[in-house]
Amino acid sequence: KNSLLRTSDHQWTIADGWELTEVAKVSATGASIAQVGFDTKAWMAATVPGTVLTTMVDRGIYPDPDFGLNNLAIPETLNKQDYWYRTEFIAPKLDREQNFTLTFNGINYAAIVWLNGRRLGTIKGAFIRGVFDVTGVLKPGQRNALAVQISPPPHPGIPHEQSISAGPGPNGGMLCLDGPTFVATEGWDWIPAIRDRDTGIWQSVTLNATRQVKVGDAQVITTLPLPDTSSADVDVNVPLENVSSQPVEGNLTASFDQTTVVKHLTLAPGETIVKLTPAEFRQLTVVHPRLWWPNGYGKPELYQLKLTFNASDGESDTKQLRFGIREITYELSLLDSSGHLRRVEISPTTAMLRNEQVVDVTHEGMRKIPAGWVASLLPGAETSPAVQQVDDTRAAPYLVIKVNGVRIACKGGNWGMDDMRKRVSRERLEPYFRLHRDANLNIIRNWVGQNTEQVFYDLADEYGLLVWNDFWESTQDDNLEPQDPALFLANARDTILRFRNHPSIVMWCGRNEGVPQPIINKGLIALVQSLDGTRYYSPSSNQVNLQDSGPYSYQDPASYYTTLNRGFSVETGTPSMSTLESFRSTIAKPDQWPISDAWAYHDWHQSGNGDVSAFMEQLDEEFGAATSLPDFERKAQMLNYVDHRAIFEGFNAHLWAPNSGRLLWMTQPAWPSTMWQIFSHDYDTQASFYAVKKASEPIHVQLNLSNFDVAVVNATQDSIINASISARVYSLQNKLLLEQTKIVNAAADVRTPGFKLNLAPLFSSGMVFVRLELKDSSGRQLSDNFYWLGKDAGSYRQLNDLPSVTLFATAVAKHLKDQMEVDIQLQNRAATAALAVKLTLQDAVNGTRILPAYLSDNYISLLPGETRSIEIQYPASASHDTPQLALRGWNISPEIVSISHP
């Protein structure tokens, strides 16, 4: 079987036929191993792309480390030895003489590459491509042998194993010395140590054929005459390399959508950067462009650019890339040359096109002020067209991100890693991106750059999710500094070149919490400026024009509306217990209850940043101590919902004065974690997911838990005229205690106050339910919200006495292209409110969950007489002959609802 998979006319992926073994088991040299016919009978079939551990789990050598305490059964020796990867393939035989290039898109950590007995060279760092000219070494039309010796990071460290008594331990350790690698794999407070430290060929290996001229990593720059967006200029910079010894004459063609430009060139040997500009080609000024927008602000429109160089003897090389037409600008407070703090909007793109630099984010340019730290304007920048004075200083000194001239209320979360073993296929990752979009989030942070693969950025582009892109340094004064700055910067250089055209990337960031050492900080500044220039580089993820990180433990929900996390915060966390079903699928039954070391190993911390003591105390005080796992999970979901909704409603309550960004720590689960994520590693969604989805909806009505003010938050670009806000307050016995309404005009991009609810007198009779609704002038509901409130935590125990409710439910399935949809009607015909109704789509034969499943809402509450429509979508490829719906909740009689198929 040939292991080459053709992906385009002149590109192939070396996809199958890989084998793996430990270097210590082979006495032969690389030159011998890379010969056709070398004996590999004792080797194992390798998973490529994939890590060493992934292969060994796939082959049954070790158990699945995701489950229970299995990871403890996998030895640390995996990260203390080298490995051979090997495959054979029949190379293509083409009609004309070609130059061949072999590219490794990602290995970890170091590699020596051999082809047909010839040593090609080395690769070092997890985020740099290994590119080798194999012309003359490759045998077209014949069988070829490729061998790769992979070495793990040299400082794997000694991991801390989490338990109740040992706690979460330190975050990281020695591995940070190695710089551009998966530093989280030594163990963090959200992931255990990954035994091989993700050593392996973790991205694809490709073979390319070209003629004399190669097309390199082109750059597309889009600018708008802001605030006008009716036209856009598109500049294209194309590196061309003439690998022959003679000049080559030909045409460079660039085309996208209805636009095509052709430039005649004579290329000397070596590399040349060719600029295609609107000044030379009028068609590169696009009229009425389809703009790329973040989620909630418009469609994330994308264009496909094709670049081709044709010489006299035909096509020499072609490349395709996607880009979005959009421009990013940034508001922030910077020190000017006189030492005064000035609120400005900067356009890095304008500065770059003028060959200017306007912001100083070196150590010399940063200064401490009462609100934190700020950067400075470079001398003369005050008069640059790339720097505009901003009159509205309410968000000072914090960063505000603007896309296409529109302020973006940044709501999102952190991806520590996409997956603990770097299983990063589109099929595996896409549900996570859809879940982020469906939760009404618009930004994700690539924490310490652990998610650097093409599909990560492709999906962010497609789902309209801005990417805050870190490089590979973690916390200053806590984690170690990389030992090899040149290696770090080489990996950074390649990362910028590869991914700079993705419209989703909104920031480059040097370090998580702190500032890189000067040699790396200055190197990153120079690389971002010279290779990109269209985005802001921040040296730090906190403090410098940003809010400090945290907190990470349970907080009084009312505090999120007052003192917690003002401005732009990239890390705010609170415990987020997974669903009962997901937890049971992760932990062995004997370890599920009471709380055990298996819980602690899956990040239910008894100390440190994620200490659950405050959460447990609140749960006990509000509802009483849990008596079983189902009882604990049921109570935990109530706290999940309230605290996560408060994080984003507190952000809304002070939108632009000064709040401009709020990112959860964290949203993406790298493995089955019990701690911070709003959905599970298996795509199940807990109450925190729907609380975030509710609070982050573009048009939202909410109650301020600190003072009971009712307000409308309109994060869209359109005003709402004559909208009606209504509030109804009920006792637990369903007695209407208070009703208020108000007609408001909800302007775009602001919070509009409504009225205050005087709830204090109503608490004298116990807890209350508050139902809010927002309707437009025609009576169409735009938003609704539901709160259960008491005068103190102890009063919440009244919820324990609510009578059990049986809901009336119907469900009908239909087929929609590549997915199934189930339309559900829920009605509460009882005299008591139904709280936190949980819907689970499952297989009727075996009761297993159908995942991924995308619910329009969940953990919903219904007052007596209320009806709610819910939609569930799931992939048709995962369709089951007999799906059914399971209902449970706070005071819901569990039931199974059959799904009909009309």
Side-chain angles (χ1 to χ4, degrees):
K1 180 182 178 180
N2 191 8
S3 57
L4 281 190
L5 175 66
R6 190 168 196 150
T7 52
S8 71
D9 288 345
H10 302 293
Q11 184 180 83
W12 299 261
T13 297
I14 305 177
D16 299 314
W18 287 94
E19 295 174 300
L20 171 71
T21 194
E22 297 92 334
V23 164
K25 293 182 177 180
V26 182
S27 59
T29 65
S32 298
I33 295 171
Q35 295 284 358
V36 172
F38 181 82
D39 183 5
T40 59
K41 288 194 294 290
W43 294 34
M44 68 189 85
T47 302
V48 176
T51 65
V52 167
L53 180 56
T54 298
T55 287
M56 293 182 174
V57 172
D58 288 349
R59 302 288 83 79
I61 297 172
Y62 297 116
D64 181 358
D66 284 348
F67 184 81
L69 298 176
N70 281 355
N71 196 54
L72 294 171
I74 303 174
E76 275 285 295
T77 53
L78 295 186
N79 63 63
K80 295 175 177 61
Q81 58 184 321
D82 287 7
Y83 299 89
W84 280 113
Y85 281 84
R86 185 185 183 279
T87 190
E88 294 186 9
F89 61 92
I90 300 173
K93 185 174 184 180
L94 304 177
D95 295 337
R96 299 180 299 168
E97 182 180 348
Q98 299 283 330
N99 293 288
F100 289 96
T101 302
L102 182 67
T103 302
F104 289 78
N105 286 303
I107 61 93
N108 187 43
Y109 170 75
I112 305 173
V113 182
W114 299 78
L115 178 66
N116 295 332
R118 178 85 62 85
R119 187 180 189 272
L120 299 180
T122 62
I123 315 166
K124 193 172 184 181
F127 311 108
I128 193 170
R129 289 167 292 186
V131 181
F132 304 99
D133 187 338
V134 294
T135 308
V137 182
L138 188 80
K139 300 175 182 178
Q142 301 179 46
R143 183 167 290 277
N144 294 256
L146 175 63
V148 186
Q149 183 178 345
I150 295 283
S151 302
H155 299 94
I158 301 174
H160 174 92
E161 307 295 1
Q162 298 183 85
S163 68
I164 292 175
S165 61
N171 283 338
M174 296 294 290
L175 191 55
C176 290
L177 287 170
D178 297 326
T181 187
F182 302 111
V183 296
T185 59
E186 190 176 347
W188 228 263
D189 55 14
W190 44 270
I191 191 174
I194 312 307
R195 301 310 183 190
D196 67 344
R197 305 300 189 264
D198 282 352
T199 298
I201 302 176
W202 72 278
Q203 292 204 65
S204 62
V205 183
T206 60
L207 181 68
N208 285 73
T210 63
R211 301 299 304 282
Q212 306 99 312
V213 176
K214 297 180 180 180
V215 179
D217 293 313
Q219 182 184 21
V220 180
I221 301 164
T222 61
T223 54
L224 302 167
L226 297 173
D228 182 9
T229 59
S230 62
S231 66
D233 284 347
V234 179
D235 289 71
V236 186
N237 298 329
V238 188
L240 297 175
E241 183 184 7
N242 176 4
V243 298
S244 74
S245 59
Q246 301 295 322
V248 175
E249 186 175 354
N251 291 326
L252 173 64
T253 302
S255 60
F256 62 92
D257 216 36
Q258 305 302 312
T259 299
T260 299
V261 300
V262 180
K263 187 165 186 172
H264 188 73
L265 301 164
T266 300
L267 299 174
E271 187 168 324
T272 304
I273 295 181
V274 177
K275 295 182 179 293
L276 307 176
T277 69
E280 183 178 3
F281 300 99
R282 288 187 304 170
Q283 56 268 51
L284 290 177
T285 295
V286 180
V287 179
H288 301 302
R290 298 181 287 108
L291 298 178
W292 187 92
W293 288 101
N295 185 33
Y297 289 83
K299 291 182 179 180
E301 297 280 6
L302 294 167
Y303 290 82
Q304 189 83 16
L305 172 66
K306 183 177 182 180
L307 297 166
T308 304
F309 187 84
N310 285 284
S312 58
D313 57 350
E315 183 180 294
S316 183
D317 194 13
T318 185
K319 286 281 182 69
Q320 294 197 52
L321 62 89
R322 288 196 313 188
F323 69 97
I325 294 181
R326 61 99 180 93
E327 185 172 352
I328 303 173
T329 56
Y330 308 83
E331 288 183 15
L332 65 171
S333 301
L334 302 172
L335 292 170
D336 63 18
S337 56
S338 64
H340 291 95
L341 201 60
R342 181 179 294 198
R343 189 71 182 172
V344 295
E345 180 178 349
I346 61 169
S347 170
T349 304
T350 299
M352 182 268 296
L353 292 174
R354 292 174 53 84
N355 199 29
E356 296 176 349
Q357 297 184 45
V358 294
V359 182
D360 185 356
V361 286
T362 65
H363 285 70
E364 295 80 7
M366 291 178 282
R367 291 291 182 270
K368 185 79 168 65
I369 65 169
W373 288 80
V374 295
S376 302
L377 288 165
L378 284 162
E382 292 96 329
T383 60
S384 169
V387 179
Q388 301 294 324
Q389 185 77 27
V390 174
D391 295 328
D392 186 352
T393 62
R394 292 176 299 164
Y398 301 110
L399 171 74
V400 173
I401 293 172
K402 300 178 76 171
V403 178
N404 303 329
V406 175
R407 293 186 299 189
I408 306 300
C410 290
K411 304 174 186 179
N414 284 261
W415 288 49
M417 284 180 73
D418 35 34
D419 180 75
M420 68 183 293
R421 282 184 276 149
K422 296 304 292 181
R423 293 166 293 178
V424 293
S425 66
R426 169 178 279 266
E427 180 183 30
R428 187 177 184 88
L429 292 188
E430 187 163 8
Y432 296 132
F433 281 87
R434 176 166 175 178
L435 287 169
H436 278 79
R437 183 198 66 185
D438 288 357
N440 294 313
L441 300 178
N442 55 39
I443 185 169
I444 55 178
R445 178 177 171 223
N446 185 4
W447 178 86
V448 193
Q450 302 290 277
N451 311 292
T452 307
E453 62 267 354
Q454 183 70 44
V455 69
F456 173 85
Y457 298 105
D458 283 346
L459 289 166
D461 292 344
E462 294 164 20
Y463 282 89
L465 295 170
L466 298 169
V467 175
W468 178 293
N469 206 95
D470 288 357
F471 292 105
W472 312 290
E473 285 210 309
S474 189
T475 309
Q476 185 177 348
D477 301 326
D478 186 40
N479 294 117
L480 297 169
E481 310 285 357
Q483 281 189 329
D484 190 340
L487 174 67
F488 189 103
L489 294 172
N491 276 249
R493 181 183 188 277
D494 203 47
T495 296
I496 296 169
L497 284 172
R498 291 171 76 177
F499 303 122
R500 60 187 174 180
N501 294 312
H502 288 275
S504 54
I505 298 177
V506 71
M507 296 276 289
W508 299 109
C509 185
R511 184 167 207 155
N512 169 62
E513 298 177 353
V515 177
Q517 58 271 47
I519 188 172
I520 287 183
N521 192 44
K522 289 183 178 179
L524 291 173
I525 292 169
L527 288 172
V528 170
Q529 177 65 26
S530 62
L531 302 178
D532 181 353
T534 67
R535 298 171 178 91
Y536 184 65
Y537 166 79
S538 175
S540 174
S541 70
N542 68 352
Q543 298 183 321
V544 183
N545 291 110
L546 298 164
Q547 178 60 263
D548 205 353
S549 303
Y552 303 96
S553 57
Y554 179 85
Q555 306 293 316
D556 176 4
S559 64
Y560 289 111
Y561 300 81
T562 53
T563 58
L564 287 180
N565 290 317
R566 311 294 291 277
F568 198 121
S569 173
V570 302
E571 291 187 15
T572 300
T574 188
S576 179
M577 178 67 184
S578 55
T579 67
L580 177 65
E581 296 84 354
S582 185
F583 185 83
R584 282 175 165 168
S585 72
T586 296
I587 305 295
K589 190 172 182 178
D591 296 329
Q592 290 176 8
W593 189 260
I595 293 174
S596 66
D597 280 341
W599 287 55
Y601 198 73
H602 285 260
D603 312 321
W604 192 255
H605 305 313
Q606 310 300 312
S607 59
N609 277 339
D611 188 349
V612 296
S613 59
F615 183 90
M616 300 294 290
E617 289 167 6
Q618 188 71 18
L619 185 148
D620 291 354
E621 189 173 359
E622 287 194 15
F623 307 121
T627 58
S628 65
L629 174 61
D631 186 51
F632 175 82
E633 187 267 353
R634 168 176 161 269
K635 293 171 178 176
Q637 299 300 342
M638 299 287 276
L639 297 189
N640 275 3
Y641 197 97
V642 171
D643 228 30
H644 282 82
R645 178 174 58 182
I647 288 174
F648 286 100
E649 288 191 341
F651 170 83
N652 294 337
H654 302 281
L655 184 61
W656 311 126
N659 289 348
S660 54
R662 186 74 70 252
L663 278 69
L664 282 176
W665 184 262
M666 45 204 315
T667 48
Q668 173 65 18
W671 84 308
S673 177
T674 60
M675 179 43 61
W676 287 298
Q677 295 85 5
I678 62 173
F679 51 80
S680 299
H681 196 241
D682 57 13
Y683 313 123
D684 205 352
T685 45
Q686 55 255 38
S688 51
F689 176 88
Y690 298 96
V692 171
K693 179 182 174 77
K694 174 64 67 177
S696 302
E697 58 189 358
I699 300 171
H700 180 63
V701 61
Q702 68 177 51
L703 181 68
N704 186 319
L705 297 184
S706 70
N707 58 17
F708 303 133
D709 281 348
V710 177
V712 175
V713 180
N714 180 5
T716 74
Q717 299 181 54
D718 300 311
S719 297
I720 305 168
I721 306 301
N722 293 328
S724 171
I725 307 174
S726 67
R728 289 172 289 138
V729 184
Y730 293 88
S731 70
L732 268 60
Q733 293 73 37
N734 200 39
K735 179 182 178 182
L736 181 61
L737 304 176
L738 177 66
E739 186 171 14
Q740 286 182 241
T741 62
K742 185 176 181 180
I743 303 299
V744 298
N745 293 327
D749 192 35
V750 296
R751 168 189 168 274
T752 300
F755 46 76
K756 181 185 290 290
L757 291 178
N758 186 16
L759 296 182
L762 306 181
F763 290 145
S764 60
S765 59
M767 287 194 66
V768 298
F769 296 138
V770 178
R771 168 68 77 194
L772 303 181
E773 289 185 301
L774 176 69
K775 296 182 179 180
D776 66 14
S777 57
S778 66
R780 180 174 62 95
Q781 183 169 284
L782 302 175
S783 175
D784 72 285
N785 219 330
F786 183 88
Y787 302 81
W788 50 89
L789 299 168
K791 65 179 178 180
D792 54 40
S795 63
Y796 283 68
R797 293 203 178 193
Q798 296 175 37
L799 295 179
N800 291 330
D801 300 324
L802 284 177
S804 180
V805 171
T806 299
L807 296 176
F808 179 79
T810 61
V812 179
K814 58 185 176 183
H815 198 283
L816 299 175
K817 293 184 179 178
D818 58 348
Q819 63 186 7
M820 299 295 294
E821 180 176 289
V822 181
D823 296 324
I824 301 155
Q825 293 290 317
L826 294 178
Q827 186 176 17
N828 181 7
R829 297 178 176 178
T832 303
L835 299 188
V837 181
K838 165 75 165 71
L839 295 80
T840 303
L841 189 66
Q842 58 184 216
D843 189 296
V845 175
N846 55 29
T848 59
R849 291 163 296 154
I850 298 175
L851 293 169
Y854 308 102
L855 285 81
S856 60
D857 203 359
N858 211 347
Y859 293 91
I860 64 175
S861 295
L862 294 171
L863 291 167
E866 284 189 332
T867 299
R868 186 69 55 85
S869 298
I870 306 292
E871 291 179 353
I872 304 177
Q873 295 179 349
Y874 63 99
S877 58
S879 63
H880 295 242
D881 292 335
T882 53
Q884 65 184 16
L885 188 68
L887 300 181
R888 60 183 176 87
W890 177 257
N891 62 323
I892 308 302
S893 298
E895 59 180 300
I896 298 296
V897 179
S898 298
I899 299 174
S900 63
H901 295 261

